[in-house]
Amino acid sequence: PLKKASDKIALGKADFVVTGAIDDIGVESVIGFGNMNATANSEEMYAKGIDARFFSRANDRRRGGFVESQGGGTILLTRGDIALKLGLPVAGVVRIRPLLRRRRAHLHPGSGTWAALAAGMGGKDSKLVHDLAKLGVTPDDIAVVSKHDTSTNANDPNESELHNTLAHAIGRTDGNPLFVISQKSLTGHAKGGACIFQVNGLTQLFKSGVVPANAALDCVDPKLKRDDHMVWLREPLKVGSVKAGLATRSGLRPRSGSPRSS
């Protein structure tokens, strides 16, 4: 919904757009994702000693799939000059840049590199870097990434590798941390509403300067050690002024369709 709204404004088809998304929990969704082994199995999670509140546990070594949820939200989007003219409060500036041609790329586990390079093709001279520069933002100014993070065995490491590879490709300084927000640990997976929740979470971060903790994270999956820019917080961190953040909704899964992979 954000991309469609942004496109309408960029193409001059609208000056102000009310956009958003909502999903309810339905039988088809529950059965479908259950058959894919994409959702957390309650019996298995309880057997691990995990309370139901913490079943959704992205990037944790004991993750077992996502938790279904419902909900949605609304975002008001307009041009900067209109916001200024009307005296509107500005929660954030949106720049849409597709990382993938399709929402779900068919990737082998751990091989998100090509998708990242597609967004950062040209490295420091890529369109992504130029788009950021138009907003006065450099790769080092991006403080956080609010990831899709479905708590599945394939998505979490694939998506992490994608962002880490992209950070290196566009010239992020070595040692500059990129804090990860896994919002589904709190909200579950609301499908249509998920990205709306993420964007709202980023606007709260811009206002507070506090990067939230990943509430259900006990022990980061050792597979993620390779991703040197990525940092997973277990306690909130006050970082002060935050200039920019990423919100992505890339559900990466392997070609094989192996369990816990959506």
Side-chain angles (χ1 to χ4, degrees), residues 121-149:
M121 187 174 295
K124 297 179 182 179
D125 195 40
S126 66
K127 188 176 187 303
L128 176 59
V129 173
H130 287 290
D131 285 347
L132 291 172
K134 291 177 182 178
L135 299 175
V137 176
T138 71
D140 279 329
D141 289 328
I142 301 171
V144 301
V145 53
S146 179
K147 290 166 71 252
H148 192 63
D149 275 352

Side-chain angles (χ1 to χ4, degrees), residues 24-38:
D24 197 356
I25 293 180
V27 174
E28 296 83 358
S29 174
V30 172
I31 293 176
F33 283 111
N35 288 341
M36 291 170 61
N37 289 324

